[in-house]
């Protein structure tokens, strides 16, 4: 990262629906990134649990919470003195919160966040996942260097006890490995926001909205780059198969993915891949 100039603003979209138990740690993992310039956009899709309260508590904590650490032993008073400081740094952080007036579904909720974004780069973070502290800085660096338009990394899959179930290493980029064989760009990614201006938003007709959009990017010649580091943790949905991960939607998602793979194979066979 070139620190002589202001780092590019990265918009982090957090669409959420009934993930109150996981949303706080997710937002913390974004706020405490080592990258210095983030816009965090939370979009609550009419959650029926206490998600709205979690969001309000987080916003209040960002403004007011203080913490302390033992920093000096004063022999004259026999006191251990503490240094107090804000729990959340405010410099280089923008927090924006939206509450949908009616349930819009996952894809429209994504799009509301992205359409509100002002960053040079953007991504979305599932509200039950965790970003590792260097995720943004590692993924933004190749964009800054104009080596890529879209970067993605490896990830952990973990359970509700915080146990790592496996490390998911995705392939270095080729159209064949990432779109023709199966969709293997993962969910740890950052890309240029202007790609939406040129190539559109997430398709409301798809549950596999990322697969469809990123294939659209690839067919348009967008430059992808794999960062072979584990920068993100995906929470398993085992035991809480809801929404996109419900049995009926999961079957639809797999059928969509198979259709998109067939599209990728046809494009490759027809010489349409740039």
């Amino acid at each position: 990262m070139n620190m002589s100039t202001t780092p590019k603003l990265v918009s982090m979209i957090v669409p959420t629906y009934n993930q109150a138990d996981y949303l706080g740690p997710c937002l913390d993992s974004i706020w405490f990134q080592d990258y210095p310039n983030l816009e965090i956009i939370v979009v609550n899709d009419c959650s029926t649990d206490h998600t709205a309260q979690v969001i309000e508590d987080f916003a209040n904590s960002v403004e007011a919470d203080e913490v302390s650490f033992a920093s000096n032993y004063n022999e004259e008073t026999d006191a251990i003195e503490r240094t107090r400081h804000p729990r959340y740094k405010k410099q280089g952080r923008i927090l924006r919160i939206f509450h949908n007036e009616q349930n819009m579904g996952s894809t429209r909720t994504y799009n509301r966040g992205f359409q509100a974004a002002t960053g040079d780069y953007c991504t979305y973070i599932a509200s039950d996942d965790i970003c590792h502290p260097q995720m943004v800085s590692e993924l933004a660096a190749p964009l800054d260097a104009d080596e890529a338009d879209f970067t993605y990394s490896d990830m952990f899959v973990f359970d509700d006890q915080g146990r790592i179930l496996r490390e998911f290493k995705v392939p270095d980029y080729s159209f064949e490995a990432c779109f023709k064989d199966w969709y293997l760009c993962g969910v740890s990614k950052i890309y240029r926001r202007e790609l939406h201006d040129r190539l559109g938003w997430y398709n409301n007709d798809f549950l596999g909205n990322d697969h469809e959009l990123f294939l659209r990017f690839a067919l348009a010649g967008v430059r992808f780059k794999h960062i072979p580091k584990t920068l993100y943790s995906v929470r398993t949905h085992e035991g809480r198969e809801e929404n996109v991960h419900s049995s009926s939607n999961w079957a639809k998602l797999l059928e969509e993915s198979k259709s998109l793979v067939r599209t990728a194979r046809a494009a490759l066979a027809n010489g349409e891949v740039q």
Side-chain angles (χ1 to χ4, degrees):
M1 185 190 305
N2 183 357
M3 298 306 294
S4 64
T5 59
T6 302
K8 301 284 191 182
L9 179 64
V10 179
S11 296
M12 311 280 283
I13 316 304
V14 186
T16 188
Y17 177 72
N18 285 358
Q19 298 286 358
D21 292 341
Y22 307 116
L23 179 58
C26 174
L27 294 175
D28 278 350
S29 77
I30 298 171
W31 198 277
F32 286 97
Q33 289 289 302
D34 68 359
Y35 190 83
N37 199 15
L38 298 178
E39 175 183 55
I40 303 164
I41 300 175
V42 185
V43 188
N44 175 20
D45 191 23
C46 283
S47 296
T48 58
D49 63 1
H50 57 289
T51 289
Q53 186 63 54
V54 170
I55 294 171
E56 181 180 352
D57 290 347
F58 180 78
N60 290 337
S61 292
V62 163
E63 289 301 317
D65 280 10
E66 287 190 343
V67 291
S68 67
F69 62 94
S71 55
N72 181 60
Y73 170 52
N74 187 324
E75 289 190 65
E76 292 183 2
T77 63
D78 193 33
I80 299 172
E81 299 169 338
R82 303 186 68 83
T83 296
R84 299 187 65 82
H85 61 91
R87 177 182 174 190
Y88 294 92
K89 65 179 181 181
K90 297 184 180 65
Q91 183 176 1
R93 296 291 183 266
I94 301 166
L95 178 62
R96 302 174 64 196
I97 297 167
F98 297 90
H99 294 278
N100 292 345
E101 294 182 0
Q102 59 185 12
N103 184 272
M104 297 169 59
S106 59
T107 305
R108 288 179 174 83
T109 299
Y110 290 11
N111 284 335
R112 183 179 187 188
F114 281 100
Q115 289 162 7
T118 64
D120 300 281
Y121 310 147
C122 62
T123 189
Y124 73 84
I125 306 298
S127 61
D128 55 349
D129 290 348
I130 297 292
C131 304
H132 299 190
Q134 295 78 32
M135 173 193 167
V136 176
S137 58
E138 291 280 358
L139 292 179
L143 305 183
D144 289 340
D146 199 24
E147 299 171 356
D149 306 306
F150 183 115
T151 53
Y152 62 100
S153 81
D154 303 332
M155 59 206 120
F156 288 139
V157 179
F158 74 113
D159 65 16
D160 276 358
Q161 285 70 50
R163 298 297 303 273
I164 295 170
L165 304 180
R166 65 187 175 100
E167 187 172 27
F168 191 175
K169 292 187 173 295
V170 290
D172 288 340
Y173 183 73
S174 71
F175 186 84
E176 292 83 350
C178 294
F179 292 103
K180 183 186 77 68
D181 295 340
W182 193 244
Y183 172 61
L184 284 172
C185 289
V187 296
S188 173
K189 74 285 178 188
I190 286 177
Y191 56 90
R192 300 185 191 278
R193 186 173 59 86
E194 61 86 17
L195 295 179
H196 284 301
D197 298 331
R198 290 198 289 119
L199 300 168
W201 306 101
Y202 290 85
N203 190 324
N204 292 322
D205 294 332
F206 279 80
L207 290 173
N209 45 47
D210 52 351
H211 186 173
E212 190 279 332
L213 177 65
F214 303 157
L215 175 58
R216 208 187 318 153
F217 285 176
L219 291 174
V222 168
R223 298 170 300 164
F224 287 72
K225 182 180 178 67
H226 172 227
I227 308 303
K229 297 182 179 181
T230 301
L231 301 173
Y232 189 96
S233 287
V234 181
R235 192 183 300 271
T236 181
H237 290 85
E238 185 176 353
R240 53 185 187 95
E241 294 85 356
E242 300 174 354
N243 301 321
V244 172
H245 297 274
S246 68
S247 57
S248 59
N249 281 337
W250 189 248
K252 182 178 185 296
L253 180 68
L254 292 179
E255 288 304 315
E256 287 178 356
S257 293
K258 288 188 281 187
S259 174
L260 290 166
V261 167
R262 288 192 290 268
T263 298
R265 291 174 179 176
L268 195 62
N270 294 333
E272 299 171 13
V273 178
Q274 300 185 32

